[in-house]
Amino acid sequence: MSKESFAKRIGVGSGPPTMIIPKGTQIRVDTHGQLSIRTPGNLVIQNSGSYATLESVSGSIRIEPDVEVEAVTVRCAETCFVQGRLTAWQVVAKNLHLDGKAHAHVLMQQTESMEIGRDARLVGNFESEQELFSLFSRFAREVRSLPFVSDGEEEEETIDVEVEELEAAPERKPEDPTGRPGGGGAEPADGERGDRETLPEKLFFALVLLERESKRASYPETSRRIFSELAKLLREEDLETLKHTHRTLFSRVKEPGEDARRAARLVGEYFQAIREEEV
C-alpha cells in the first residue's frame, strides 16, 4: 500500500487531526509523571502541558499561540520559537525567538542569539546556576523575606537516623546563632523567629528546593518525610546534625528528581567548603 493510499485510508488531511510520530522519536515518562519528548526533527507543541524535557536533535521547537508549556529543559539545534507561553528552567538553542505577545519565563538560557517581538516578554535569562546564585546573594535580604508558598501546614515528622551518626555530632551550642557549623538549633527569640538571614546562600536555596520537594505527591511517603526532616534541620539552623546526617538522609530518597539532587549538591558543597577552610 502506497503512502498516499494509506494516508487517504486513515483520513490524513480530513476529519479529526492525526498524530504522526517520526521514526527515532523517544517518548518517556519519568518517576514523577513528567513527559519527555526527544525527536530527530522539528517539534511543534499545539497543546498546553507540563514536561520534563522537550528536545529536537536537529531541528526547531515551536510553541503555538494560546499554548502554555512548562518544562524543566527545552533543547533544540536550531530555533526555539515561542508564540504562546513558556516556563522553563533551561533553554538551550541556537536562537530564541519570541513572537507577537509571547511570554517566556526562562531561568537559564544558552543561545547564540535572541529575537524578542515588540509586545513579547522575556523574564529570567541567566547563563548558569552560579550566575543565578551570585545575583540572588546580592539581594539575599529581599529574597529571604519572600513568603514560602505552601499547600497548608503539615504535622512535623521526624526521621530515624543511625545512632552512631548522632553520637558523633558534637554537642550543640545554643548560644551560637551563626549559620556556620558549630551553630546550634536553639529556639530563636521572639524577634528572630522565622528570620533566616544567618543561613548561608547555598543552604538557603537548598531549603527552598527541599520544601518544594516535600510537597510532591509523586514521591513515596518515606522520601517526603526525609525532605521534611532535612528542611527542618535547615530552618532550625541545626547544621551540626545536618553535617553528620545529610549524606545518609539523601541516600535514602528513592529515585530523586533534579531538584532533590541539586539540593543534595548544594548542601554537600557547603560542608566541603567548610572542611577546606579548616585544613
Side-chain angles (χ1 to χ4, degrees):
M1 182 182 294
S2 66
K3 291 183 178 179
E4 290 78 10
S5 60
F6 179 75
K8 183 177 181 180
R9 182 176 178 181
I10 65 174
V12 173
S14 63
T18 299
M19 178 178 180
I20 300 176
I21 302 178
K23 183 178 180 180
T25 297
Q26 298 175 1
I27 301 176
R28 296 191 177 98
V29 177
D30 64 18
T31 56
H32 308 301
Q34 286 187 308
L35 187 68
S36 291
I37 300 176
R38 185 177 190 267
T39 184
N42 298 327
L43 178 61
V44 179
I45 308 296
Q46 296 181 326
N47 194 49
S48 300
S50 178
Y51 304 87
T53 301
L54 293 173
E55 181 175 4
S56 169
V57 177
S58 59
S60 299
I61 294 177
R62 173 173 173 161
I63 299 173
E64 298 208 331
D66 301 320
V67 174
E68 296 187 14
V69 171
E70 179 179 327
V72 177
T73 301
V74 176
R75 182 183 295 110
C76 59
E78 296 297 329
T79 300
C80 178
F81 189 78
V82 182
Q83 291 181 298
R85 289 177 176 266
L86 171 65
T87 301
W89 174 263
Q90 182 181 43
V91 171
V92 181
K94 185 175 182 180
N95 178 49
L96 176 61
H97 187 163
L98 305 185
D99 186 54
K101 295 183 179 181
H103 281 196
H105 293 185
V106 179
L107 204 57
M108 293 184 293
Q109 65 86 18
Q110 298 176 23
T111 61
E112 295 180 12
S113 62
M114 288 190 298
E115 299 177 45
I116 303 177
R118 180 177 179 180
D119 297 322
R121 181 182 179 189
L122 174 64
V123 178
N125 197 31
F126 294 93
E127 184 178 5
S128 64
E129 289 186 10
Q130 185 59 46
E131 183 177 310
L132 170 66
F133 292 146
S134 296
L135 180 65
F136 277 8
S137 66
R138 296 182 185 179
F139 301 98
R141 186 184 300 274
E142 287 76 12
V143 173
R144 285 166 173 159
S145 66
L146 294 175
F148 283 85
V149 178
S150 175
D151 294 333
E153 295 296 328
E154 295 184 351
E155 294 183 2
E156 291 188 351
E157 298 181 87
T158 58
I159 303 295
D160 293 331
V161 295
E162 300 297 331
V163 176
E164 304 90 277
E165 292 175 316
L166 292 179
E167 290 178 347
E171 184 179 354
R172 301 180 187 179
K173 299 178 181 180
E175 68 277 3
D176 182 3
T178 65
R180 311 279 290 188
E187 185 72 16
D190 291 340
E192 299 173 341
R193 196 175 302 273
D195 187 357
R196 305 180 186 191
E197 291 188 6
T198 59
L199 197 63
E201 274 70 27
K202 284 183 181 293
L203 298 187
F204 173 76
F205 290 118
L207 173 58
V208 174
L209 294 171
L210 288 168
E211 289 186 328
R212 185 168 61 184
E213 291 296 271
S214 68
K215 311 293 183 184
R216 290 189 184 275
S218 55
Y219 282 110
E221 179 65 23
T222 302
S223 296
R224 295 201 301 270
R225 289 176 58 204
I226 290 172
F227 291 138
S228 295
E229 179 65 14
L230 287 162
K232 179 182 177 183
L233 292 174
L234 286 167
R235 281 195 302 269
E236 296 180 351
E237 299 189 27
D238 187 359
L239 302 189
E240 277 303 316
T241 300
L242 183 65
K243 176 181 178 181
H244 292 276
T245 61
H246 71 92
R247 289 192 182 90
T248 298
L249 291 174
F250 276 117
S251 69
R252 293 178 180 175
V253 176
K254 295 182 179 180
E255 299 182 348
E258 184 176 347
D259 284 348
R261 294 193 297 270
R262 184 177 294 113
R265 185 170 66 250
L266 289 169
V267 173
E269 288 175 353
Y270 170 76
F271 287 116
Q272 178 62 32
I274 294 300
R275 285 193 292 271
E276 292 175 356
E277 290 179 4
E278 294 174 346
V279 173

